Amino acid sequence: MRRALKRAAASGLSGEWSEDDYDVLCQGAVVGRIMKAVAAPVGTPWLWTLAYGHHEDRTPIYGYEPTREAAYQSIRSAAGELTAGLFCRRLPPASRAAQAALSHTGNDGSSTRAKRPREARMREIGHFIGGKKVAGTSGRSGDVFNPNTGEVQAKVSFATKSEVEQAIANAEAAQPGWAATNPQRRARVLFKFLELVQKEFDSLAQLLSSEHGKTIADSKGDIQRGLEVVEFACGIPHLLKGEFSDSAGPGIDLFSLRQPLGVVAGITPFNFPAMIPMWKFAPALACGNAFILKPSERDPSVPMRLAELLVEAGLPAGVLNVVNGDKEAVDTLLTDPRVRAIGFVGSSAIAEYIYTTGCAHGKRVQCFGGAKNHMVVMPDADMDQAVDALIGAGYGSAGERCMAVSVAVPVGKKTADILVEKLIPRVESLKVGPSSDPKADYGPMITKAHLDKVKSYVDLGLKEGAKLRVDGRGLKLQGYESGFFMGGCLFDEVTPDMRIYKEEIFGPVLSVVRAKNYDEALRLPSEHDYGNGVAIFTRDGDTARDFATRVNVGMVGVNFAIPVPLAYYTFGGWKRSGFGDLNQHGPDAVRFYTKTKTVTSRWPSGIKEGAEFVIPTMK
């Protein structure tokens, strides 16, 4: 076996590989033999190629397809250290060159042809309750796809009402002890969690990309923005300090306390499977609450891994539980009286349902919905800078961001003509590729159903009379024909009465709405149903200041296309982009996850004043 590996690494395959050479080296025919001959005898930890993760029992996390360069590097590592393994799901016919290099797989030099490996068992994702993974019992499940290939890579269990109630009961039992832990010790758990996530940063990013489809670089940004809120939460003990007034009255002290709510829950979306869960659970845990997380069923593996890392960091079992599921799980969280607060991020229709239902059951609720973010381009703007901003903010992550810019608003015909002329070649040259491609601008969309929905909006725009300057609907990638890929689309001459302007598309589609003047440009985002984010590009300070003051939108960027606030400020939109009084992270997170208790204290001084029958007042 060892001789065969060394021959494979030194046989000249380091140059141009044929597709079959690559497949033989990186797919299942090699895996079983390396595992049997190397991993078990040597006893070293198993290194899965570019492994975005592995289980403790050394079984792989499926669905990731390594690049050719990475596969070669791992074969080199296997030959040199006999510790590397490769995993894939299928074995196409092998070319003669690679087959010859691997024909001798036994240490005795006998020649055997690589056999087709047994088909891997489908990975099953359950729940995380009481500090450990538990299998689902409902018999209901959903598909978790690899968006790059279109294949189902796992099944995620959908929790029943009783399973969710079990998670709530477990959290309710664990919460008092966690609340009694002093805030500084709670912060130390989060500090340790930060350390553990940093150690797994690359593998988490690859795991995230394998289920979501965003590029690995974008996945790293997803994780980093979540960690920044965890860093903020480490300082929450300072914000938990109450107020104190000495001698508020004769011998009377007055002070306030911030106390945790108890068991709280978060329902998070598919488009940021690391960031949004951390935005929710980090402040909640720092404030002393127990937390139930219901992540998106489309990409649940990263939230499950984050829960494991929290327990490894010292979080007591049951303080954070993860239940995967659908409407049944959501409705249980909404109606169970033991859950005191719920946070949600997703579509506006679901946000409104969760807000109204949760409030009707006496819960504190914050919900963040859809968006239609505008970017106003004034005539004096740096046009190249504006185009760069629109390309990144409009097409990054395939447009699957609540803060994506989906509407460009150039002011004046000349500005519009120049902007569109510059945008067309940039959109046409966007590089769409698998999430593992470091040169890709963006990867596939989350599911085939969502891809079809976005394409249907492009069809609708044409019917409504918009001018489709760039059409990316027909994009196909060689080797990834079944992946959920779509090229960038650019509409011009979109008008406010069109559905493609009114509704959130959530894909790589940018609409240009031409404004005659500044006042019209200001009015467009202000009067839109959504009010999440908005940007203006200009060199004029007076215009920028006036715009930021008057526009009816929750988050504003000045020469900054995606104005997501840093962790110590709050994030939240207006109108149908936000439901509830308090925003995410920053000081609002502390207000949302705590309740204030005010204490009026007087100790007997020996002076007896007798009974008082009127409301106390200062005399």
Side-chain angles (χ1 to χ4, degrees), residues 112 341 375:
T112 57
M375 186 177 124

Side-chain angles (χ1 to χ4, degrees), residues 178 188-189 192-193 196 308-317:
W178 178 244
R188 286 174 184 169
V189 172
K192 182 63 177 179
F193 173 73
L196 294 175
E308 290 181 300
L309 292 176
L310 275 167
V311 171
E312 188 177 338
L315 188 72

Side-chain angles (χ1 to χ4, degrees), residues 328-348:
E328 182 175 349
V330 170
D331 285 344
T332 304
L333 293 172
L334 287 172
T335 57
D336 193 302
R338 294 170 294 181
V339 178
R340 303 306 305 160
I342 289 186
F344 170 82
V345 177
S347 71
S348 290

Side-chain angles (χ1 to χ4, degrees), residues 436-459:
S436 58
D437 184 354
K439 296 181 180 179
D441 294 318
Y442 66 86
M445 308 195 76
I446 185 72
T447 62
K448 177 68 162 54
H450 187 59
L451 173 64
D452 291 342
K453 177 184 174 182
V454 174
K455 287 183 177 180
S456 72
Y457 269 109
V458 179
D459 298 339

Side-chain angles (χ1 to χ4, degrees), residues 17 22 49-50 66-76 436 438:
W17 297 5
Y22 166 64
T49 304
L50 293 185
T67 63
R68 294 156 71 104
E69 294 79 10
Y72 175 69
Q73 184 61 37
S74 290
I75 287 294
R76 293 278 300 194
S436 58

